[in-house]
Amino acid sequence: MTATKKNLKATKKFEKNHLKGVLERRKAVSKIKQRQQIKTKKRTKQAQDADFYGSSSKQSGDVQANGQKGSAQAGGMSVDEFFKGGFEILDKPSSGKKSSAKLGKRKRDQPAAKAQASEDSDVDLSDVQSDVQSDGGAEIGAEDDEDEQGGMSKATMKALAEKDPEFYKYLKENDPEALDFDEDADLAEIDELSANEDDEEEDEQPKKKRKQDKDVAAQGEADSDVESSGSNELTQAMIAKWKEALVEKHSLRAARQVVIAFRSAAHLNEDEEKAQRYSISSPEAFHDILVVALKQIPEVLQHHLPVKESAAGKTYVQTESSKFKTLSILMRSYTASVIHLLSTLSDDGTLKLTLSCINPLLPYLLSFRKLLKNLVKTVVAFWSQSASSETTRITAFLVLRRLVVIGDKGIRESVLKAAYQGLVQGSRATNVNTIQGINLMKNSAAELWGIDQSVGYTTAFNFIRQLAIHLRNSIAHNQNDSYKKVYNWQYVHSLDFWSCVLAEHCSPLKEAEAGKESQLKLLIYPLVQVTLGAMRLIPTAIYFPLRFQLIRSLLRISRATGTYIPLAAPILEVLNSAEMKKPPKQSTLKALDYNVNYKAPKSYLRTRVYQDGIGEQVVELFSEYFVLWATNIAFPEFSLPVVIMVKRWIKDARKKGSGNQNSKLISSLVLLTQKLEANAKFIEGKRARVDFAPQNRTQVDAFLKDFEWEKTPIGAFVVTQRKLRAERQKMMEEARKEEERKRREERMQQDEEDEEDEEDEEQESDEDVDLEVDEEEFGSLEEEEEGDDSE
């Protein structure tokens, strides 16, 4: 018998013999805790009564009318004993409201009663706030708080229903109270805050105006009562009324109703055990409540809790105020609804509006770490999804950037980690349709690492170290598939992304603007070493496209930072490979796109198409590599070894019988060597007129510093080649789009034909049925006629 069957048997045995007793004991314990809480409240009220009677006895010094002693004796009595002693009931006409005085004979002044009532409401509010914080998960010990309360959260019960439906069914039958949750109970505190603000406004108004406002408010409450007593259908009139209150008065009471209705809209058409407050059947009402909630709620929060922002981008919110504690319930409910709504949306306009409403909320959500973590995860998902449009990606990135700017170091680190994970996951599938979105992600995410370079250096170092560990394991454990941990799109895009980060934030221009050297500059050496090791892991012809991808990443770093990286050797290895020395075979294959491929199919090996493509890449990379040092004083000596090696390869390729015999490749390499030699002669002519020695480092660095590299021979060649490649890429993109359009039209035409065929089949079946009916009717008529003839 396996361990799983033993556990299942033990669970069933426990449910049969002990579960009912355990539930009863839990109920008993919860009742004991409830009685203890009641006793504690009685003691606090008893102490308040004692203080009240003590102050009253000093003023009057009299004895109570029923013969009991005054404040000293009453202060030592419990509430039950006090009521058993008897007291006079004041002959006072009932006003239909419960009196706030609970101690019988002794009257209180109106200001004292109002102060006492406000104190009681503050105490209750603090209790509710502590419960909400423990339930919401903003604090670390949320699960411990749930255990102390003797209950389980709604998410826990939902998980229990999925994992153990039999136990959940048993709880539903024997302990249904454990499954009841009131999500709107916390939002009721906002009505009290709104009522307090209304009272303050009434005190400032004149009496006549105050009376008119009271009549209007009473009429509004009557209307709301009619609405609440009727159906819970959300109408446009209700939304218009709430919108007017939000725009004109910034009413928190209307904001509460809008948040509840917005939650109902976010959970529309979902099968949940707990029904929402409002039901929505009108598309116009659904649209209106979304627009009002997404546009007006952030403005209401900004009105009641203004955000102060410094020149450095730091924000400050008064989180210690009681108003923030009350509105935090509204914020968290609203944010949770926004997160849930995002998971159901697909329209670009609605997604942009929903993501844009998150930006004003971020300063308020910095205190709620768990909610903020879920929000970041949702936003990163839209930023990294291949199905997201460019507008949606940019809007989501603005949310992440805003959070990095205003957040502390912990929040910044979590956002950077989430963004990198989203980038790695989103780059798994790379093709012609997704490459633009991946490049957008890399370029936008690179900006985040420069906002706080201390946090950026730590996270970047850890991630580059992970890449190095993967490479080391692939080299050390040389098994069949160990190289696949390195030779995949995620690894290639990760190295390319870090080259984008270093190229953007380690350039001399950025360092001059900051006035100091970039902290990320220390990561150039380890990244270059990891990239060079990755491109030489498997030096076969099938992975030449991956080598070209990584060489471009290193060229980006060298171009932006001015760092010399020896790339001539990896390019010459491609030229001296067996793939490029033997004559190619003729083929009708389509040219390989090196931008969206890191591995060549085996059918391309030894073909003329593949060899021509590799030759174009070699010439392009050589020219891009040498143009970086086109104005350097040591260019003649720098380019001489490569010129010699390329000329030797050309000489071997022209041999009859054993040479490559690829005229297109040979002519392109001859042109490259001519441009390199011309540029070397150009530099030799310029440096022949200098009057300083090589040991004068300052003059060496200043040599042709202001000379434009485009005017050098190799520079002009590179400019021309870039234009030709751009035109070729544009033509290929247009051809691809035209081909996709034709495919789409053919697909639509095929669908229409299929629909017509289905309609024809339905019509034929209907005609067959009609014929059968006619035959039956004709048969019945013949029988009737035969019967008539016989008669």
Side-chain angles (χ1 to χ4, degrees), residues 58-331:
K58 288 179 182 178
Q59 294 176 2
S60 61
D62 297 330
V63 183
Q64 292 184 357
N66 56 2
Q68 295 181 351
K69 291 185 178 181
S71 63
Q73 187 174 355
M77 297 167 60
S78 65
V79 180
D80 296 333
E81 293 174 349
F82 177 76
F83 281 113
K84 287 179 182 178
F87 54 91
E88 293 181 2
I89 300 176
L90 297 177
D91 296 334
K92 197 173 183 179
S94 60
S95 60
K97 296 181 180 180
K98 293 184 180 180
S99 176
S100 61
K102 298 180 180 179
L103 298 178
K105 293 171 68 175
R106 196 170 294 276
K107 295 183 180 180
R108 298 185 185 181
D109 296 334
Q110 188 67 18
K114 185 177 289 187
Q116 182 67 22
S118 64
E119 289 177 2
D120 295 340
S121 64
D122 290 339
V123 172
D124 297 337
L125 181 61
S126 63
D127 295 338
V128 172
Q129 292 297 332
S130 62
D131 294 339
V132 169
Q133 288 179 358
S134 63
D135 267 340
E139 310 298 330
I140 297 175
E143 296 178 1
D144 297 335
D145 293 339
E146 290 175 1
D147 294 338
E148 290 176 2
Q149 292 171 3
M152 300 172 69
S153 64
K154 186 174 183 179
T156 308
M157 296 303 297
K158 188 175 181 181
L160 179 63
E162 295 176 356
K163 293 180 180 179
D164 197 350
E166 295 181 358
F167 182 61
Y168 181 79
K169 184 179 180 181
Y170 183 86
L171 281 178
K172 194 171 183 180
E173 294 175 356
N174 296 275
D175 192 10
E177 296 177 359
L179 306 178
D180 293 337
F181 301 94
D182 189 7
E183 297 179 353
D184 301 334
D186 299 331
L187 294 175
E189 302 295 333
I190 299 170
D191 287 343
E192 298 181 5
L193 184 61
S194 181
N196 294 335
E197 290 186 354
D198 294 341
D199 294 339
E200 292 176 1
E201 292 178 359
E202 287 179 0
D203 293 338
E204 297 176 359
Q205 292 177 350
K207 292 183 179 180
K208 186 175 181 181
K209 177 68 175 175
R210 198 184 308 168
K211 185 176 180 181
Q212 294 176 357
D213 292 343
K214 284 184 178 180
D215 296 338
V216 174
Q219 183 66 28
E221 290 179 358
D223 296 340
S224 64
D225 291 338
V226 171
E227 290 176 357
S228 62
S229 62
S231 63
N232 291 333
E233 178 69 24
L234 187 65
T235 61
Q236 289 182 287
M238 297 165 62
I239 299 171
K241 180 181 176 182
W242 295 337
K243 182 179 180 180
E244 182 181 359
L246 291 175
V247 173
E248 296 180 357
K249 301 180 180 179
H250 298 94
S251 172
L252 291 177
R253 188 171 297 166
R256 171 182 178 268
Q257 296 298 328
V258 169
V259 168
I260 295 174
F262 179 61
R263 183 172 63 196
S264 302
H267 293 81
L268 190 65
N269 297 330
E270 291 186 3
D271 296 333
E272 292 187 354
E273 295 182 0
K274 179 175 175 57
Q276 296 296 329
R277 174 74 65 84
Y278 295 101
S279 60
I280 305 175
S281 59
S282 171
E284 292 79 10
F286 179 79
H287 175 268
D288 291 348
I289 192 61
L290 288 187
V291 172
V292 171
L294 295 176
K295 289 185 176 181
Q296 303 300 328
I297 295 297
E299 295 180 2
V300 171
L301 293 176
Q302 177 66 24
H303 174 77
H304 291 281
L305 286 172
V307 179
K308 299 178 181 179
E309 187 170 356
S310 63
K314 296 293 182 181
T315 58
Y316 175 73
V317 181
Q318 293 182 354
T319 57
E320 299 85 5
S321 63
S322 59
K323 184 178 286 188
F324 177 84
K325 293 179 181 179
T326 304
L327 290 179
S328 63
I329 308 167
L330 183 79
M331 299 173 200

Side-chain angles (χ1 to χ4, degrees), residues 753-769:
E753 291 178 357
D754 294 341
E755 290 178 358
E756 291 178 357
D757 294 339
E758 290 178 358
E759 291 178 358
D760 293 340
E761 290 178 358
E762 291 178 357
Q763 290 178 359
E764 290 177 358
S765 61
D766 293 339
E767 290 176 358
D768 294 339
V769 172

